[in-house]
Amino acid sequence: MIFALIVVPVLGLFVGVHRYLWCRLVRDTTTPGSRLRRTGTAAAFVLPLTTLAALPAERAGAPFPLQQALAWPGYLWLALVLYLTLALLLGEAVRAVALRALRDRDSEPNEGPAPAAPSAAPSAAPSAAAPAPAPSADPPRAPSPSSAPTLLPPHTPALPPVAVPPRRLFLARAVAAGASLAATAAVGYGTATTLRGPTVKRVTVPLAKLPRAAHGFRIAVVSDIHLGPILGRAHTRRVVETINRTDPDLVAIVGDLVDGSVTDLAPAAEPLRGLRSRYGAYFVTGNHEYYSGAAQWVDHVRELGVHPLENARVELPGFDLAGINDLAGEREQAGPDYGSALGGRDTARAVVLLAHQPVTIHETVRHGVDLQLSGHTHGGQMWPVTHLAAAANPTVAGLARYRDTQLYVTRGAGAWGPPVRVGAPPDVTVVELAATRA
């Protein structure tokens, strides 16, 4: 039933979009039987198949080198499909206006001088005054080019024939070229933004229960690193270096660290061992950990010196730090448990909760949490998907208040699927806690 309701419509949309792209980029811009049309048609089949193969490769347990070989072209093509479709839909309006202008120009009346009227036809009877000419022995000759009638108005100079493509073909090629250039530029920019690594954001969060002694406590919040077939050890190193430059008091990794098994990605996660902070680094699971073997990853991050908070809490100077498992853990009877994470604590102390998905905020409010730190949304990752992410989450990025609880959502440091970020650059956020007591 789920397959029929979700997968089949998604596949239908996928096929329909690719049919539209083939029509506009291949069929409308090439001649039948040409090498360009054959090449474009082959690409229209191969590229989407690469994408469809890349998506399930990791969960199917494909060899890691094969995952990498499929991921780069498959996911980048997925991003190109998005921006090619948007650009071509905009091109439809350009095409309509241009064709309308051409039709209007062609329909304008010809203002040149009218051709002279032909002389009256001679009478059928021969004139008596003028004898009929004697027949010639030579065969009739075709009129010379100089004497042949011209179809051009008298005032228009005759031009040599030039091989100019039809107007519709020229327009189709112009729109396709413009859309391809715009889409490639967007994906290139978004890829460079992702691979450059996260920037540092800073936000101050006042907490009524925070004592003056803890004023200025700085938590480096990072989420959605998404180590996998594309983002590997170099990406982790960039993230760790960015965090260490902020000289934080504590590091909070709020889920979606990986997309793959410990066997494949342990070398990529190794630089996490170099995280530096006064009170250590803490980790809670995200939904992608449960697609990748959460129990094994919890054990592995502990070996790297990062402390997992599985529905647990630690006391820090001035406040409590708690963490809950991701909602995806419910399938393994390891979902969020607020009772285990928050039960029995001193409610006079401020508490900061690490929870991967911001949708848990309403349950968090009921438990009297002062601040929840989350990720998961990627800030939408690629415009205009940012609008869909905003519709699906209570807060897509930044700081918000829900009654007496504040929620901060980071855009994350990596990317899922296409390594492309447009309109939602990656970040590491330094959350500085501020005491409101005099």
Side-chain angles (χ1 to χ4, degrees):
M1 179 62 70
I2 295 177
F3 181 87
L5 294 178
I6 299 177
V7 177
V8 172
V10 169
L11 284 177
L13 177 63
F14 188 78
V15 172
V17 167
H18 278 84
R19 167 73 180 176
Y20 171 71
L21 293 179
W22 177 82
C23 289
R24 286 293 180 251
L25 297 177
V26 180
R27 186 197 65 184
D28 293 352
T29 62
T30 60
T31 55
S34 67
R35 181 178 297 179
L36 280 176
R37 176 165 293 195
R38 291 195 300 270
T39 302
T41 301
F45 279 96
V46 172
L47 289 170
L49 288 176
T50 305
T51 299
L52 292 176
L55 289 169
E58 181 269 320
R59 297 193 194 181
F64 194 62
L66 178 59
Q67 294 181 39
Q68 292 174 305
L70 291 171
W72 276 103
Y75 288 135
L76 284 177
W77 173 246
L78 194 61
L80 273 170
V81 165
L82 171 64
Y83 290 108
L84 277 172
T85 303
L86 293 175
L88 286 171
L89 289 175
L90 180 61
E92 298 292 349
V94 175
R95 182 197 307 269
V97 171
L99 289 175
R100 176 70 177 272
L102 289 174
R103 284 195 298 267
D104 290 345
R105 191 180 71 176
D106 290 344
S107 64
E108 292 178 358
N110 190 350
E111 298 180 358
S119 59
S123 173
S127 172
S136 173
D138 297 331
R141 298 179 180 179
S144 64
S146 59
S147 63
T150 179
L151 299 179
L152 296 175
H155 67 282
T156 304
L159 298 175
V162 178
V164 179
R167 289 172 177 174
R168 287 182 178 272
L169 179 59
F170 175 79
L171 185 58
R173 288 176 174 174
V175 171
S180 299
L181 181 62
T184 302
V187 172
Y189 166 80
T191 303
T193 299
T194 301
L195 298 182
R196 191 163 48 240
T199 58
V200 175
K201 290 187 61 180
R202 298 180 184 274
V203 60
T204 300
V205 180
L207 298 180
K209 297 179 183 178
L210 190 73
R212 290 293 300 173
H215 179 80
F217 193 99
R218 289 172 293 110
I219 304 174
V221 183
V222 62
S223 179
D224 303 281
I225 298 174
H226 283 290
L227 302 179
I230 292 179
L231 299 177
R233 187 185 183 96
H235 177 65
T236 313
R237 188 181 301 112
R238 286 190 293 267
V239 172
V240 169
E241 290 172 353
T242 301
I243 291 172
N244 288 346
R245 281 197 298 269
T246 68
D247 191 26
D249 295 306
L250 182 144
V251 178
I253 305 173
V254 286
D256 280 7
L257 171 65
V258 293
D259 281 305
S261 67
V262 173
T263 302
D264 292 334
L265 297 177
E270 183 64 24
L272 292 176
R273 198 182 298 275
L275 286 170
R276 299 287 179 264
S277 62
R278 291 172 180 79
Y279 294 95
Y282 292 85
F283 167 78
V284 293
T285 55
N287 53 308
H288 282 251
E289 271 72 55
Y290 292 97
Y291 309 148
S292 307
Q296 290 82 2
W297 275 111
V298 166
D299 291 340
H300 189 68
V301 298
R302 186 181 288 112
E303 293 174 7
L304 296 175
V306 179
H307 309 293
L309 287 176
E310 295 185 279
N311 297 320
R313 179 180 76 255
V314 294
E315 291 187 3
L316 296 171
F319 68 98
D320 294 339
L321 180 72
I324 55 172
N325 295 349
D326 186 71
L327 293 167
E330 293 176 345
R331 302 174 185 175
E332 303 176 12
Q333 290 73 50
D337 187 339
Y338 281 86
S340 297
L342 301 173
R345 72 179 191 87
D346 182 1
T347 56
R349 287 169 57 88
V351 59
V352 176
L353 179 70
L354 309 183
H356 178 62
Q357 299 192 43
V359 294
T360 60
I361 183 61
H362 304 295
E363 184 68 20
T364 298
V365 169
R366 286 192 284 270
H367 285 83
V369 171
D370 299 279
L371 172 64
Q372 175 175 315
L373 301 176
S374 298
H376 182 64
T377 68
H378 299 202
Q381 187 166 322
M382 294 188 300
W383 182 92
V385 182
T386 50
H387 300 293
L388 297 178
N393 293 276
T395 298
V396 70
L399 184 66
R401 175 178 287 276
Y402 295 83
R403 293 170 56 183
D404 293 331
T405 301
Q406 296 183 79
L407 168 66
Y408 182 79
V409 182
T410 173
R411 291 190 298 251
W416 180 79
V420 178
R421 280 182 172 263
V422 178
D427 69 61
V428 168
T429 301
V430 177
V431 175
E432 183 172 329
L433 305 181
T436 60
R437 300 176 184 178

